[in-house]
């Protein structure tokens, strides 16, 4: 007999849910999205005992069933809807022993829903140092539940938890709160109107903006409008409910929890006095940021070089060893370079994710939110926009997903709209090759000139994001009500295993997502570059073949250059040349811009393809670009045209995946369309100005 | 007086709050009448406020703090 139990891990943020999840499931995890929304869905497989296993869901952190963010909405919808495919048979509520009182609030709510629940009290390793003692048996009795004490740091209690999950059918589920004690008249009459429904579910439907299978807000409203009275009235009842819940929790804890408060002024608060200091706090933050960026460049250059040359030699090998008909040629000249274009980003993205997850795991990120809130609010953003803006330097997609916990819709929308201005790693290869080409490798005030230009481009990205936010704040007319409440979790030493798993999962999904698009584009490009309207495309041999003065090599070169120009791709480039000539670009760059419209990292790959088609020698792409000349003999890549290109890439919205995610997160086509139009326009004008001035 | 008028390091007891403006999330963290709040840190321009609310550490904006009535208690 094989049984699979569906188990949901629920708990406040930072209580150790993901750590418990990682220990239960190891690497047998799947991450994806819940359909229609971009809340990350994590599920894993766990073998409990002989013949019994479990599917574990790591739900997003929730303070309470009264939702104040998209993540929390998801948890409620899941728990309220028995027909949901992932509806859990068992809820495992993870609490942190140091914040047990607050954590129990959610526990009482879930218990009132009537879902079988186990309470995990995590971080037991900290009890001795904090002078905490807990009478587990007494508490099990008081809460009428099973309790498992765990420490994921020391890997303790996990086996016990597995056993308890396997035995979940023996759990009792009695509610914690008697609703009539909150407002006897209101709740008695509510129950009378809907005798068959659970009173807590009714109450949640009335107060929350969630959909719930059997009954919805409208039904309640039309049956008995009195129960959905004024918002103020409902909010006062919610406050009373919270008070009642805390009374219950305090009664329980009085009987089984003891805290010896001797080490009150401890290390934590001393650390906070420095890290959130009104002067030193900022200094430390900028040092941290600076270190991160340095590390990203220093550490990633070796693996990036290695990946680059690996793909180059793979492509070379394929070219010489594979038969030369359509499919193998496509693989050698289209697919392998295209994949290389994605793989090259892996080191940088992984390193950035390592840092971001360290900042989050240690609890430092919340301090940065505190420090930056006021400054960013000037620009219509929130302190919580810091995370997206920093993550945006890796990739805008996870960054935009990280805006979910900004409660205020206006601040969230502005963050979503401006995040693509930050210099994501896809822009980097474009910058690197152009800088190497047009910026002299000299020293300026003792610093490397090329490095300075790169840093300037990063600052430009942030500056533009802020400027755009400022304008949006003035333009957007949206109701604005603050709900900014940020918990400052205790500082913790991060658990290495957690960081490893996070980085692995995030990098993997980035590579898969971006990989699909880049692969498709590079194949398309290659096909367009190798074919053309037969009337002119097919004439190459005939035109040059007659010329006896050419050597064999020169002949081949002439033919392929001519073919490129007459190919479909070349036609596209020629077509848009008049529009981009004022920016200093020729038709070949035009092709690269068009092809990188869907993903900017394609730019270098396209140039590589184009110039590769033109010659046979093995030469670096940089040298080939330097040799490029206009028909009048002037070089194509000069300071002016190079800078203009970089500015164009800094501002343009060339990323299909980002547009797709913006459409999902804003639930409309309007915002991604505006974003695309405005950013492209800004990029065009700025590039034009740059070229004309330089 | 309101929570917004507290000085750094001062402790106060919540007397009353306006549920129309104070997010439920803060209330659920323990910002309830009778509970103690300590102002731990202020960001520049005195906003946001870094508080210890009934044992939980949270940051809130000044505009929220203005809707929470408190009474100072001796430290
Ligand atoms: N000391 C200690 N720290 C832990 C334990 N479990 C988790 N942590 C740390 O607590 C923080 C939050 O953990 P995480 O699993 O991300 O929590 P989640 O937000 O609930 O998913 C991380 O810094 C973990 O390293 C534990 O048992 N003991
Ligand atoms: Mg987590």
């Amino acid at each position: 007999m094989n049984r699979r139990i569906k188990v949901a891990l629920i708990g406040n943020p930072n209580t150790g849910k993901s750590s418990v999840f990682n220990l239960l499931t190891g690497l047998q995890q799947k991450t994806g999205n819940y359909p229609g929304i971009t809340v990350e869905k994590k599920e894993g497989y766990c073998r409990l005992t002989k013949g019994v296993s479990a599917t574990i869901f790591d739900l997003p952190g929730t303070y309470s069933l009264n939702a104040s963010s998209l993540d929390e909405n998801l948890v409620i919808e899941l728990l309220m809807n028995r027909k949901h495919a992932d509806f859990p048979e068992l809820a495992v509520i993870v609490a942190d022993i140091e914040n047990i009182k607050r954590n129990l609030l959610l526990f009482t709510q879930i218990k009132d829903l009537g879902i079988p629940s186990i309470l995990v009290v995590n971080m037991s390793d900290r009890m001795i140092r904090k002078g905490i003692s807990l009478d587990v048996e007494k508490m099990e009795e008081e809460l009428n539940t099973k309790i498992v004490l765990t420490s994921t740091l020391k890997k303790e209690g996990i086996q016990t938890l597995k056993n308890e999950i396997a035995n979940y059918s023996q759990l009792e589920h009695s509610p914690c709160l008697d609703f009539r004690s909150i407002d006897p008249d209101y709740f008695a009459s509510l129950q009378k109107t809907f005798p068959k429904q659970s009173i807590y579910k009714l109450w949640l439907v009335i107060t929350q903006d969630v959909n719930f299978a059997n009954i919805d807000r409208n039904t309640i409203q039309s049956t008995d409008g009195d129960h959905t009275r004024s918002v103020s009235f409902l909010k006062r009842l919610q406050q009373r409910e919270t008070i009642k819940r805390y009374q219950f929790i305090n009664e329980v804890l009085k009987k089984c929890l003891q805290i010896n408060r001797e080490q009150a002024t401890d290390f934590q608060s001393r650390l906070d006095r420095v890290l959130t200091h009104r002067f030193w706090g900022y200094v430390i933050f900028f040092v941290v940021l600076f270190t991160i960026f340095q590390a990203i460049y220093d550490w990633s250059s070796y693996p990036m070089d290695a990946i680059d040359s690996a793909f180059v030699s793979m492509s070379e090998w394929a070219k010489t060893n594979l038969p030369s008909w359509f499919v193998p040629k496509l693989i050698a000249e289209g697919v392998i370079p295209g994949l290389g274009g994605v793989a090259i980003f892996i080191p940088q993205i992984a390193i950035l994710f390592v840092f971001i997850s360290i900042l989050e795991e240690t609890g430092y990120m919340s301090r940065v939110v505190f420090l930056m809130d006021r400054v960013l609010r000037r620009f219509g953003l929130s302190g919580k926009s810091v995370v997206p803006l920093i993550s945006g330097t890796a990739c805008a997609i996870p960054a935009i997903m990280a805006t979910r916990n900004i409660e205020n819709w206006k601040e969230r929308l502005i963050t979503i709209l401006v995040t693509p201005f930050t210099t994501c790693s896809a822009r980097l290869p474009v910058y690197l090759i152009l800088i190497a080409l047009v910026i002299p490798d000299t020293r300026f005030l003792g610093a490397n000139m090329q490095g300075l230009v790169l840093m300037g481009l990063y600052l430009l990205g942030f500056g533009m994001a802020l400027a755009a936010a400022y304008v949006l704040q003035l333009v957007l007319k949206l109701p604005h009500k603050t709900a900014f409440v940020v918990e400052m979790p205790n500082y913790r030493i991060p658990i290495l295993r957690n960081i490893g798993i996070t980085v692995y999962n995030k990098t993997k999904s980035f590579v898969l997502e971006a990989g699909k698009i880049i692969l498709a584009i590079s194949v398309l490009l290659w096909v367009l570059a190798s074919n053309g309207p037969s009337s002119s495309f097919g004439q190459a041999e005939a035109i040059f073949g007659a010329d006896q003065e050419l050597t064999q090599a020169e002949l081949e070169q002439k033919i392929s250059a001519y073919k490129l120009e007459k190919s479909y791709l070349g036609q596209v480039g020629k077509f848009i040349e008049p529009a981009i000539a004022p920016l200093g670009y020729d038709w070949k760059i035009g092709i690269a811009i068009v092809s990188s419209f869907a993903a900017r990292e394609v730019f270098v790959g396209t140039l590589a393809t184009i110039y590769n088609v033109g010659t046979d020698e093995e030469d670096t792409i940089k040298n080939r670009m330097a040799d490029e000349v206009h028909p009048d003999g002037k070089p194509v890549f000069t300071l002016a045209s190079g800078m203009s290109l970089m500015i164009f890439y800094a501002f343009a919205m060339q990323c299909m995946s980002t547009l797709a995610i913006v459409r999902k997160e804003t639930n409309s086509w309007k915002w991604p369309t505006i974003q695309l139009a405005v950013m492209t326009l800004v990029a065009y004008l700025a590039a034009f100005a740059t070229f004309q001035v330089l | 007086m309101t929570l917004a008028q507290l000085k750094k390091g001062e402790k106060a007891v919540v007397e009353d709050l306006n549920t129309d403006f104070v997010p439920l999330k803060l209330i659920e963290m323990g910002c309830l009448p009778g509970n103690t709040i300590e102002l731990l840190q202020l960001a520049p321009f005195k906003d946001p406020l870094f508080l210890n609310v009934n044992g939980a550490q949270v940051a809130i904006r000044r505009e929220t703090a203005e809707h929470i009535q408190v009474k100072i208690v001796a430290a």
Side-chain angles (χ1 to χ4, degrees):
Chain A
M1 186 197 73
N2 233 333
R3 255 186 60 58
R4 230 351 148 95
I5 310 171
K6 276 187 273 183
V7 180
L9 284 177
I10 307 173
N12 292 18
N14 296 305
T15 52
K17 286 178 304 304
S18 300
S19 311
V20 171
F21 178 74
N22 288 343
L23 279 182
L24 285 176
T25 63
L27 268 178
Q28 302 197 16
Q29 308 182 355
K30 269 201 315 220
T31 53
N33 284 327
Y34 287 96
I37 43 174
T38 47
V39 175
E40 194 182 37
K41 167 176 172 170
K42 277 166 77 182
E43 66 174 88
Y45 169 83
C46 171
R47 207 177 152 254
L48 298 170
T49 54
K50 206 167 180 317
V52 188
S53 56
T55 306
I56 317 258
F57 297 97
D58 183 14
L59 297 187
T62 323
Y63 286 102
S64 121
L65 289 187
N66 298 310
S68 60
S69 73
L70 284 169
D71 283 358
E72 295 188 342
N73 258 337
L74 168 98
V75 176
I76 306 172
E77 277 179 10
L78 188 65
L79 296 179
M80 296 275 277
N81 184 359
R82 282 184 188 280
K83 299 203 180 88
H84 196 295
D86 299 339
F87 181 79
E89 290 154 85
L90 169 69
V92 171
I93 292 106
V94 182
D96 160 12
I97 182 74
E98 288 181 64
N99 293 306
I100 184 103
K101 194 196 280 178
R102 183 159 41 85
N103 292 177
L104 281 178
L105 185 80
L106 179 66
F107 175 80
T108 66
Q109 292 173 333
I110 300 214
K111 201 117 192 312
D112 287 351
L113 274 183
I115 298 174
S117 328
I118 293 177
L119 178 64
V120 167
V121 179
N122 189 30
M123 317 238 184
S124 61
D125 52 285
R126 302 184 59 94
M127 289 171 70
I128 297 175
R129 176 130 55 97
K130 293 273 166 169
I132 302 173
S133 63
L134 186 72
D135 183 343
V136 174
E137 262 171 50
K138 181 83 188 153
M139 192 152 147
E140 284 185 331
E141 202 179 294
E142 291 289 325
L143 291 174
N144 202 358
T145 189
K146 273 283 167 207
I147 296 179
V148 184
L149 212 53
T150 62
S151 161
T152 61
L153 184 69
K154 303 226 156 106
K155 303 193 191 175
E156 283 166 7
I158 297 297
Q159 192 51 50
T160 322
L161 177 59
K162 285 186 186 174
N163 296 340
E164 295 295 350
I165 293 176
N167 291 331
Y168 86 97
S169 54
Q170 280 151 39
L171 287 171
E172 298 189 37
H173 28 88
S174 55
C176 298
L177 187 71
D178 177 9
F179 269 82
R180 286 166 209 234
S181 67
I182 299 172
D183 184 325
D185 295 345
Y186 179 86
F187 286 99
S189 99
L190 182 64
Q191 186 74 87
K192 223 167 94 195
T193 322
F194 301 96
K196 290 207 189 76
Q197 303 285 347
S198 127
I199 196 152
Y200 185 46
K201 284 193 183 174
L202 285 171
W203 176 235
L204 282 178
V205 173
I206 291 173
T207 51
Q208 309 300 306
D209 189 16
V210 294
N211 304 310
F212 161 43
N214 296 322
I215 191 156
D216 62 23
R217 207 162 191 275
N218 292 338
T219 327
I220 299 181
Q221 205 154 20
S222 55
T223 319
D224 187 351
D226 201 29
H227 289 126
T228 51
R229 269 181 271 188
S230 76
V231 179
S232 285
F233 172 75
L234 294 177
K235 281 207 167 151
R236 277 201 298 282
L237 284 193
Q238 282 183 307
Q239 188 194 354
R240 284 239 275 288
E241 176 196 345
T242 311
I243 294 176
K244 289 284 173 197
R245 287 191 190 278
Y246 271 120
Q247 279 173 358
F248 171 81
I249 293 166
N250 286 336
E251 283 303 311
V252 172
L253 290 181
K254 218 159 56 187
K255 290 175 194 153
C256 44
L257 181 77
Q258 270 176 3
I259 303 177
N260 185 354
R261 285 209 185 273
E262 263 173 21
Q263 308 100 318
T265 57
D266 57 351
F267 182 61
Q268 298 267 345
S269 44
R270 251 178 288 155
L271 203 54
D272 258 333
R273 241 169 279 154
V274 184
L275 293 183
T276 62
H277 189 270
R278 52 173 58 201
F279 176 71
W280 294 111
Y282 293 92
V283 173
I284 293 169
F285 174 52
F286 286 111
V287 169
V288 168
L289 265 192
F290 187 76
T291 315
I292 292 177
F293 284 121
Q294 284 298 307
I296 289 176
Y297 290 108
D298 284 357
W299 298 355
S300 62
S301 62
Y302 298 102
M304 284 174 92
D305 289 347
I307 292 173
D308 197 18
S309 51
F311 272 92
V312 168
S313 44
M314 240 157 76
S315 175
E316 287 301 324
W317 179 88
K319 266 186 216 166
T320 42
N321 291 308
L322 290 183
S324 82
W325 54 283
F326 184 72
V327 173
K329 256 181 105 168
L330 174 63
I331 291 177
E333 293 174 15
V335 174
I336 294 179
L339 283 181
V342 189
I344 191 116
F345 294 123
I346 295 175
Q348 284 198 330
I349 288 189
I351 293 173
L352 192 80
F353 282 144
V354 167
F355 279 108
I356 287 177
S357 69
I358 290 177
L359 294 188
E360 280 185 343
E361 281 253 327
T362 51
Y364 180 63
M365 203 63 117
S366 307
R367 273 69 185 181
V368 176
V369 170
F370 168 75
L371 285 175
M372 299 304 288
D373 184 59
R374 188 61 224 271
V375 184
L376 289 176
R377 225 183 313 158
R378 287 254 162 98
F379 298 96
L381 300 168
S382 156
K384 293 185 179 178
S385 310
V386 168
V387 186
L389 289 178
I390 296 178
S391 319
T393 56
C395 175
I397 296 163
I400 285 171
M401 285 170 69
T403 61
R404 290 185 317 244
N405 64 358
I406 302 176
E407 307 90 346
N408 181 318
W409 169 237
K410 182 173 176 181
E411 291 170 350
R412 175 155 181 257
L413 180 64
I414 296 181
T415 311
I416 291 175
L417 293 179
V418 305
T419 295
F421 276 121
T422 54
T423 305
C424 68
S425 52
R427 288 181 173 101
L428 203 65
V430 183
Y431 290 169
L432 290 180
I433 196 144
L434 290 172
I435 286 178
L437 214 54
V438 303
I439 306 291
D441 188 9
T442 52
R443 302 240 141 215
F444 178 75
L445 297 177
N448 180 307
M449 191 65 194
Q450 296 185 330
L452 283 180
V453 170
L454 186 64
M455 205 170 101
L457 285 164
Y458 267 90
L459 292 180
L460 185 71
F462 280 124
M464 195 60 199
L466 289 183
Y470 190 79
V471 173
L472 281 169
Q473 164 197 232
L474 298 178
V475 174
L476 286 178
K477 295 272 175 287
L478 288 172
H480 158 101
K481 193 167 165 192
T482 188
F484 183 89
V485 178
V486 185
E487 194 196 0
M488 301 288 191
N490 285 341
Y491 290 110
R492 293 188 204 293
I493 309 241
I495 299 176
L496 238 51
R497 178 179 354 110
N498 289 344
I499 293 178
I501 292 179
T502 312
V503 171
Y504 172 78
N505 282 334
K506 287 203 168 167
T507 312
K508 192 174 93 183
S509 67
F510 169 83
V511 171
L512 291 183
E513 283 300 312
K516 271 184 266 174
I517 296 178
I518 294 174
L519 198 60
I521 293 176
S522 50
V523 169
L524 183 73
L525 263 184
W526 182 84
V527 172
L528 288 181
S530 336
N531 296 284
S534 52
S535 59
S536 52
F537 191 73
Q539 304 298 313
E541 281 84 356
I543 295 175
F544 297 106
D547 193 337
Q548 302 294 332
E549 315 239 303
L550 295 170
T551 66
Q552 185 63 25
E554 278 172 330
L555 179 69
E556 273 176 20
Q557 193 171 343
K558 287 250 180 211
I559 290 177
S560 39
Y562 177 83
K563 274 191 170 175
L564 176 66
E565 195 175 338
K566 295 294 175 199
S567 71
Y568 292 117
L569 194 61
Q571 300 297 305
V572 173
K574 286 279 182 194
F575 178 74
I576 64 161
E577 194 169 24
I580 54 174
L583 313 185
Y585 318 149
D586 69 351
W587 61 274
K588 287 187 184 174
I589 300 179
I591 295 175
I593 291 179
V594 169
S595 64
S596 63
F597 199 70
R600 37 179 91 82
E601 54 273 41
V602 175
F603 178 79
V604 179
T606 307
L607 288 184
T609 312
I610 295 173
Y611 297 134
N612 200 14
V613 177
T615 70
D616 245 356
E617 318 131 43
E618 277 186 50
D619 195 1
T620 65
I621 170 165
K622 187 190 140 194
N623 290 343
R624 265 183 233 149
M625 285 167 76
D627 292 342
E628 274 295 298
V629 287
H630 286 293
D632 61 9
K634 292 207 194 98
V636 172
F637 292 97
T638 60
L639 180 67
S641 69
M643 281 309 292
S644 151
L645 250 184
M646 283 190 261
I647 297 289
F648 185 85
Y649 274 82
F651 295 155
M653 176 67 175
Q654 294 161 291
C655 183
M656 212 83 111
S657 329
T658 303
L659 288 171
I661 208 98
V662 171
R663 135 102 196 106
K664 249 187 193 171
E665 292 283 328
T666 60
N667 202 12
S668 86
W669 284 108
K670 177 178 159 198
W671 296 115
T673 314
I674 292 177
Q675 201 174 24
L676 177 65
V678 171
M679 288 181 72
T680 311
L681 188 69
V682 168
Y684 187 87
L685 294 179
F688 177 74
T690 310
F691 183 67
Q692 299 300 334
V693 169
L694 283 179
Chain B
M1 66 183 279
T2 72
L3 182 58
Q5 290 158 314
L6 223 57
K7 293 199 186 66
K8 195 171 141 182
E10 282 182 338
K11 275 189 190 165
V13 170
V14 179
E15 295 202 304
D16 192 16
L17 48 84
N18 185 341
T19 43
D20 291 341
F21 294 97
V22 178
L24 187 58
K25 190 165 154 193
L26 184 63
I27 295 173
E28 289 179 331
M29 285 191 161
C31 181
L32 284 164
N35 286 349
T36 318
I37 292 189
E38 182 182 352
L39 181 62
L40 297 175
Q41 191 74 266
L42 278 169
F45 304 103
K46 303 194 171 174
D47 192 12
L49 296 78
F50 184 170
L51 308 166
N52 182 328
V53 179
N54 198 32
Q57 303 197 351
V58 290
I60 61 171
R61 287 182 182 166
R62 170 159 296 271
E63 47 189 306
T64 306
E66 280 163 1
H67 295 283
I68 302 173
Q69 306 295 325
V70 297
K71 201 171 121 194
I72 294 201
V73 293

